[in-house]
Amino acid sequence: SQQGEEDPQALSIQEGENATMNCSYKTSINNLQWYRQNSGRGLVHLILIRSNEREKHSGRLRVTLDTSKKSSSLLITASRAADTASYFCATDEGDYKLSFGAGTTVTVRA
Amino acid sequence: EPEVTQTPSHQVTQMGQEVILRCVPISNHLYFYWYRQILGQKVEFLVSFYNNEISEKSEIFDDQFSVERPDGSNFTLKIRSTKLEDSAMYFCASSPAGDTQYFGPGTRLTVL
């Protein structure tokens, strides 16, 4: 089955800067979800964007979806040290499962 | 806010032993899932469960694995005869309608 693939693999930014990461996938999807994982911890759901949506916001998060390019981006604005984590995109093809990418590791420097 | 809970947080077992990982999904959710994450690797889907039966399972979910919802609140994953390569973090997730999935904190399984 297809999986989302994130880019870049790692990102280091200064507190207050924006962080952008991208996700590409291969086939049709019902929705795409972004998750955060702090080191050794569980996955925290951030946002879901459906295949008929192009952009969605939640607090400091902005997600875009381009189904023609089979890609999504996650923007975190005004980053904080607490945003340091790994971020994963996960695609839902409508077959009762999520397919995860390898993730982007974000480090926010104080 | 309701959360998915998992027990134990860490399980150590000998190769060949049976283990049962337990999850309590969010109470009004209808869809349940198990995933695993081997250290340093991607999160991998194992199985989904809806209406008291398996909806989908991956190639990883072979005859050594089984799931059960024994009492309407718990959702368990059993591994009958553990192998070294089963060492991983196992995540349970639940969903109200099969879209947004909410994950538990995970059980770290170490097979010696």
Side-chain angles (χ1 to χ4, degrees):
Chain A
S1 72
Q2 65 147 41
Q3 293 174 325
E5 295 296 337
E6 292 90 342
D7 168 62
Q9 288 186 320
L11 185 57
S12 180
I13 54 173
Q14 201 72 34
E15 205 165 23
E17 292 179 339
N18 296 342
T20 301
M21 59 211 87
N22 302 296
C23 170
S24 60
Y25 57 92
K26 296 190 176 75
T27 63
S28 297
I29 59 171
N30 275 7
N31 64 69
L32 186 146
Q33 304 181 38
W34 285 91
Y35 287 84
R36 185 185 75 230
Q37 184 180 38
N38 291 85
S39 180
R41 307 292 294 275
L43 294 154
V44 175
H45 184 264
L46 296 177
I47 200 162
L48 178 153
I49 187 163
R50 300 191 188 281
S51 60
N52 62 352
E53 297 175 309
R54 292 296 164 258
E55 187 170 312
K56 216 163 172 182
H57 297 252
S58 176
R60 293 184 295 113
L61 305 179
R62 175 177 163 252
V63 168
T64 64
L65 180 65
D66 186 334
T67 52
S68 67
K69 293 181 180 175
K70 294 186 170 53
S71 67
S72 174
S73 68
L74 171 67
L75 167 68
I76 306 171
T77 59
S79 62
R80 305 167 181 166
D83 295 329
T84 293
S86 292
Y87 293 81
F88 297 89
C89 69
T91 53
D92 179 352
E93 298 168 58
D95 53 357
Y96 302 103
K97 65 186 181 194
L98 292 177
S99 298
F100 283 82
T104 293
T105 300
V106 175
T107 304
V108 181
R109 305 186 306 273
Chain B
E1 189 172 327
E3 291 180 337
V4 176
T5 59
Q6 290 185 243
T7 54
S9 57
H10 192 187
Q11 173 91 48
V12 181
T13 189
Q14 295 290 327
M15 192 168 55
Q17 294 296 305
E18 174 183 287
V19 294
I20 297 176
L21 310 183
R22 291 184 166 79
C23 168
V24 179
I26 296 172
S27 66
N28 60 345
H29 286 192
L30 301 177
Y31 297 80
F32 313 108
Y33 313 83
W34 284 101
Y35 293 80
R36 78 173 186 190
Q37 185 180 32
I38 294 171
L39 189 64
Q41 296 188 24
K42 296 180 183 183
V43 175
E44 301 174 290
F45 167 78
L46 293 177
V47 66
S48 58
F49 193 84
Y50 170 73
N51 202 25
N52 284 319
E53 60 182 28
I54 290 173
S55 308
E56 181 78 23
K57 59 183 181 179
S58 71
E59 291 172 356
I60 303 166
F61 194 88
D62 61 22
D63 292 345
Q64 293 300 311
F65 291 85
S66 63
V67 289
E68 203 176 30
R69 187 154 161 81
D71 56 13
S73 62
N74 290 285
F75 181 51
T76 61
L77 174 69
K78 182 192 288 185
I79 310 175
R80 287 188 184 81
S81 178
T82 49
K83 306 183 188 80
L84 294 175
E85 54 265 36
D86 293 329
S87 293
M89 186 77 107
Y90 287 80
F91 293 107
C92 172
S94 69
S95 174
D99 43 21
T100 302
Q101 294 185 22
Y102 298 90
F103 283 72
T107 293
R108 182 170 299 284
L109 176 65
T110 302
V111 182
L112 302 175

